Amino acid sequence: MSEDVLPRPFHVAIIMDGNGRWAKKKRLPRLLGHRAGIRALERTVRAAEGLGITHLSIYAFSTENWKRPETEIKGLMSLFRFSIRRKVDEISRENVRLRFAGKKEGLPGDVAGLMNWAEEKTAANTGLTLVACLNYGGRAEIVDCVNSLIAEGRTTPVMEEDITGRMYAPEIPMPDLIIRTSGEQRLSNFWLWQCAYSELYFTDVLWPDFGPEDLKRAVEHFLNRERRYGAIK
Ligand code: FPP
């Protein structure tokens, strides 16, 4: 598959599921599964650049993930802190622009601060845009859009563009392809507004085992489908 086969922009969104099961299979603590998940993410970012993907978004922490045990939440927050701090220079050298989607309020203050710092530091990069959805929920995003319209005193009918323009990262194109790993076949509140015409791809591979070949397979699956947007060709 060559780079010019993909439409531009081309947005791949990933629900990185199965870190816990991967760790359990290896009799390791769950957090080591999440750490292995970061390595899988690094591989995927590199592979995405090679395939000509322009936007890659990842579901890193959902609004529902707060229901997990406190130790796991703390571990995940430390992993985010560590990864953002350590990886931003490397990401910048690769010309990757980092963007976050989700509610920054509700996250530990220093994590939210690092997110702002990383976004500013990589804002001028022109390569792949990596969107990390952190403290993200699709329903909460739509509710936030509606509330911002109310706060603006909107009294005229609302159009689809009014919602689209008030999303957490409105400049990001809609996902063309959504991948979920680990055999589960649901969206779990990810990109609910944006997924209207996305192709869905499910694989049994656990996220920490996901690699360039898996990404390529998912993109090829997309290319073999015909998207009609409700019309008959
Ligand atoms: C789900 O596995 C995965 C997560 C909760 C995401 C963890 C985050 C990363 C791997 C990287 C994010 C990195 C940055 C820097 C933003 P699970 O625990 O639900 O697995 P299970 O379903 O097998 O229990």
Side-chain angles (χ1 to χ4, degrees), residues 68-75:
R68 294 193 174 204
E70 206 188 319
T71 46
E72 185 173 349
I73 293 173
K74 279 197 172 145

Side-chain angles (χ1 to χ4, degrees), residues 16-21 30 34 37-38 41 59-60 65 68 72 76 80 83 132:
M16 312 178 292
D17 198 10
N19 296 349
R21 274 162 284 168
R30 288 179 64 83
H34 295 313
I38 300 267
L41 177 58
Y59 206 7
N65 285 153
R68 294 193 174 204
E72 185 173 349
L76 278 168
F80 297 148
S83 307

Side-chain angles (χ1 to χ4, degrees), residues 158-193:
V158 170
M159 314 293 278
E160 284 190 15
E161 303 78 66
D162 297 316
I163 304 282
T164 304
R166 284 167 181 78
M167 297 268 122
Y168 295 138
E171 79 285 9
I172 305 298
M174 302 289 160
D176 296 282
L177 170 67
I178 300 182
I179 301 172
R180 183 169 189 154
T181 58
S182 93
E184 309 293 345
Q185 303 202 353
R186 49 179 183 273
L187 287 173
S188 301
N189 208 11
F190 188 41
W191 287 147
L192 284 193
W193 178 268

Side-chain angles (χ1 to χ4, degrees), residues 15-24 30 33-41 58-62 65 68 72 76 79-84 87 91 98 100 130-134 180-182 184 186 206-208:
I15 303 175
M16 312 178 292
D17 198 10
N19 296 349
R21 274 162 284 168
W22 181 90
K24 196 172 177 195
R30 288 179 64 83
H34 295 313
R35 263 198 224 162
I38 300 267
R39 293 194 290 276
L41 177 58
I58 50 159
Y59 206 7
F61 193 86
S62 74
N65 285 153
R68 294 193 174 204
E72 185 173 349
L76 278 168
L79 211 56
F80 297 148
R81 256 182 217 110
F82 178 82
S83 307
I84 298 170
K87 297 289 173 192
I91 277 178
L98 190 56
F100 290 94
L130 175 62
V131 187
C133 296
L134 237 165
R180 183 169 189 154
T181 58
S182 93
E184 309 293 345
R186 49 179 183 273
L206 301 176
W207 175 249

